[in-house]
Amino acid sequence: MEDSVFKPYLQTKSVFKEDRDILRPSYIPENLPHREKQIDQLASILATALRGERPSNVLIFGKTGTGKTAVIKYLGNEILKADEWERIHFIYMNCEIVDTPYAVLQNIGNRFVQDFDERIPFTGWSTERVYNILREKMDEERRVVVIVLDEIDKLVYKSGDDVLYHLSKINDDLEKAKISLIGLSNDLKFTEFLDPRVKSRLGDEKMVFPPYNANELRDILQQRAELAFENGVINGGVVSLCAALAAQEHGDARRALDLLRVAAELAERSGCDRITEQDVRRAKNKVELDCVLEATRSLPTQSKLVLLGIILSEERGSKRLTTGDVYSAYKELARRAGTGILTQRRVTDLISELDMLGLVNARVKSFGRGGRTKEIQSSVPMLETKKVLEKDEVLSGIKNYRLKFQTTLLVHE
Ligand SMILES: Nc1ncnc2c1ncn2[C@@H]1O[C@H](COP(=O)(O)OP(=O)(O)OP(=O)(O)O)[C@@H](O)[C@H]1O
Ligand SMILES: [Mg+2]
């Protein structure tokens, strides 16, 4: 151990108490400050299940990090605790993971299959058959089944609303069992893609979780900080700064907790046993960079080519690009990479998408006699982003490529 490269890191005192997962999103605290009203309202709906009746279906909306998942998981635990006769089944699914009608039905169905040999297989059956087994098995006993579809919008965008149609209608075909659906989403628009009947059935009750303000975030962080850190590791300024920074965006508790966790990790890594406001600022930069790189990594290949085109043009010194410039750069890269070449119109759409993701900044500029064009600039750190882009298999062939075409000159008054 004497000369081990790990030695300095093993010796430093940890700023965390034993369980560092307390600051991770998967941790559900014993109470959820500033969600008392929403919890009450949902409890009054779900209490019906404890009387053996079917609760209304509920749709819950709210921006990311407003506590939807945390509240519903918390209520799931509470309802199982209160369920003396064990008549309630609480089934939670995240539709980003369970994202096809087959998988959703299989997942629900297998909760009611006791015998291992009778389990519904991962693939191979018709959806119809899975649905029939599910209905049959579920209906063997008197019970109330509460099904939570978290990120329900992902399911709808990927597979349409067929499965929701069947699930929301299933009560008509059940004699003993009753089911109730709870959908969670951070996207208000997805209901436009639902059949009107599905939409009205799912939305018996609708709730919106508002974003947290800075004071509320501070309470949430304070609670977690007390659980996560040793005494004296953190001061009030650190918690307030994390809360204020997260509130500036849209009141996202996940972002606030991320800032605190990353600040703690940075402090720890530099061998300090206290977390300072400076660490929070460093954490903010790191979290932001990680977000940008993650967004870049998950872009479709054609969008990656567009973004790379913008970065390479800028690298060559063209600071204000028109849509035409970006298109020329894109075409050159797409040709080199051997992918198909999209139309300029489609590329214009991709630029708007990159703009929405915050990876580029596209402003409409008017110039000269009523002419209008977009002025496009990247808003990503070039070196790091380029590295991520070049990791894409399709783009790896154009590593270190230099553009040949010339940009047009934008004339500004
Ligand atoms: N009122 C609260 N009290 C304590 N912790 C909270 C509260 N609200 C949210 N959190 C914590 O913030 C993080 C994000 O919350 P959650 O996952 O519930 O957000 P969400 O609304 O489901 O977001 P998304 O739409 O992105 O899924 C979690 O770690 C959660 O425990
Ligand atoms: Mg969630």
Side-chain angles (χ1 to χ4, degrees):
M1 203 51 185
E2 276 298 275
D3 315 320
S4 160
V5 291
F6 302 112
K7 196 170 153 205
Y9 301 99
L10 292 175
Q11 272 181 343
T12 54
K13 215 171 123 245
S14 173
V15 298
F16 291 100
K17 285 188 191 162
E18 246 128 81
D19 186 1
R20 52 178 66 209
D21 289 342
I22 286 170
L23 295 179
R24 297 206 174 268
S26 50
Y27 178 85
I28 311 286
E30 268 171 40
N31 62 69
L32 299 162
H34 304 293
R35 281 296 173 251
E36 294 84 2
K37 230 175 67 198
Q38 287 77 8
I39 290 175
D40 255 12
Q41 196 179 339
L42 280 163
S44 78
I45 296 171
L46 289 173
T48 325
L50 293 168
R51 294 195 292 268
E53 278 157 43
R54 185 184 88 79
S56 313
N57 294 334
V58 192
L59 275 181
I60 303 176
F61 296 103
K63 291 200 171 143
T64 180
T66 51
K68 300 181 296 297
T69 302
V71 162
I72 215 66
K73 287 194 164 168
Y74 169 85
L75 278 160
N77 293 337
E78 291 296 303
I79 202 165
L80 294 183
K81 271 195 248 162
D83 176 27
E84 292 168 38
W85 293 287
E86 302 190 353
R87 280 189 306 199
I88 302 179
H89 290 246
F90 188 88
I91 304 179
Y92 171 91
M93 261 176 284
N94 185 329
C95 300
E96 185 159 31
I97 300 162
V98 186
D99 63 352
T100 63
Y102 188 98
V104 169
L105 296 175
Q106 187 236 14
N107 217 294
I108 303 170
N110 276 341
R111 308 284 175 116
F112 302 98
V113 176
Q114 309 298 339
D115 200 336
F116 190 78
D117 297 333
E118 287 181 25
R119 285 176 76 84
I120 306 165
F122 279 112
T123 56
W125 288 9
S126 69
T127 313
E128 183 77 23
R129 181 168 169 206
V130 180
Y131 177 77
N132 288 335
I133 293 283
L134 174 159
R135 204 186 46 205
E136 212 172 276
K137 292 285 177 192
M138 192 188 274
D139 211 20
E140 279 172 358
E141 281 177 36
R142 283 199 181 283
R143 54 185 148 213
V144 181
V145 183
V146 178
I147 300 174
V148 177
L149 300 168
D150 200 351
E151 321 230 358
I152 187 171
D153 50 302
K154 304 267 164 53
L155 178 69
V156 173
Y157 288 132
K158 182 158 180 226
S159 318
D161 64 355
D162 264 12
V163 71
L164 298 178
Y165 177 80
H166 288 297
L167 285 176
S168 63
K169 199 165 82 55
I170 193 170
N171 285 306
D172 302 344
D173 299 334
L174 294 171
E175 281 175 17
K176 295 186 187 151
K178 304 182 173 97
I179 85 165
S180 125
L181 298 170
I182 300 181
L184 314 187
S185 171
N186 53 31
D187 174 1
L188 270 167
K189 280 203 307 275
F190 92 92
T191 57
E192 290 169 19
F193 295 83
L194 298 176
D195 178 294
R197 284 167 299 177
V198 178
K199 183 170 167 179
S200 88
R201 279 195 217 119
L202 274 183
D204 287 342
E205 305 263 358
K206 287 197 204 75
M207 291 175 70
V208 177
F209 282 28
Y212 296 111
N213 65 32
N215 289 336
E216 293 169 338
L217 288 173
R218 212 174 47 210
D219 293 339
I220 292 170
L221 289 178
Q222 191 62 43
Q223 175 203 44
R224 292 285 246 282
E226 280 164 21
L227 294 170
F229 301 125
E230 301 287 354
N231 266 345
V233 160
I234 191 170
N235 62 41
V238 166
V239 167
S240 298
L241 183 58
C242 292
L245 291 172
Q248 264 172 18
E249 291 185 20
H250 71 253
D252 175 347
R254 183 183 295 113
R255 169 56 69 98
L257 285 162
D258 277 351
L259 284 173
L260 188 57
R261 191 191 71 247
V262 174
E265 286 166 357
L266 291 172
E268 193 174 46
R269 220 173 291 161
S270 52
C272 298
D273 50 14
R274 289 180 56 88
I275 304 166
T276 63
E277 286 158 44
Q278 182 64 25
D279 294 320
V280 177
R281 298 200 185 279
R282 281 163 62 209
K284 176 169 183 276
N285 292 337
K286 180 167 188 307
V287 168
E288 272 166 7
L289 178 63
D290 289 351
C291 272
V292 166
L293 297 184
E294 190 43 47
T296 305
R297 199 169 296 128
S298 47
L299 289 174
T301 304
Q302 292 287 358
S303 301
K304 283 183 180 163
L305 283 168
V306 175
L307 182 58
L308 186 60
I310 296 170
I311 293 177
L312 293 184
S313 308
E314 286 179 349
E315 221 177 45
R316 212 185 37 181
S318 341
K319 283 292 172 237
R320 296 197 174 96
L321 304 166
T322 64
T323 312
D325 295 332
V326 175
Y327 189 58
S328 310
Y330 156 80
K331 264 197 309 198
E332 196 179 319
L333 294 175
R335 210 168 281 135
R336 278 303 279 223
T339 66
I341 295 177
L342 302 175
T343 60
Q344 175 151 351
R345 199 177 159 153
R346 189 65 196 110
V347 168
T348 307
D349 290 344
L350 294 184
I351 295 172
S352 303
E353 279 172 33
L354 292 173
D355 187 18
M356 261 177 344
L357 288 171
L359 300 177
V360 309
N361 189 348
R363 281 174 304 169
V364 177
K365 276 266 160 184
S366 32
F367 63 100
R369 282 167 262 130
R372 269 153 64 89
T373 181
K374 270 194 181 153
E375 191 179 283
I376 298 149
Q377 270 181 310
S378 74
S379 38
V380 293
M382 287 202 194
L383 272 180
E384 287 96 340
T385 310
K386 233 171 89 180
K387 257 192 227 148
V388 168
L389 289 171
E390 288 172 352
K391 286 223 175 85
D392 186 297
E393 249 172 61
V394 180
L395 276 69
S396 62
I398 43 177
K399 211 168 168 172
N400 302 325
Y401 184 73
R402 280 163 191 268
L403 289 174
K404 306 218 163 39
F405 90 98
Q406 292 296 314
T407 48
T408 46
L409 256 186
L410 252 192
V411 187
H412 293 272
E413 303 90 294

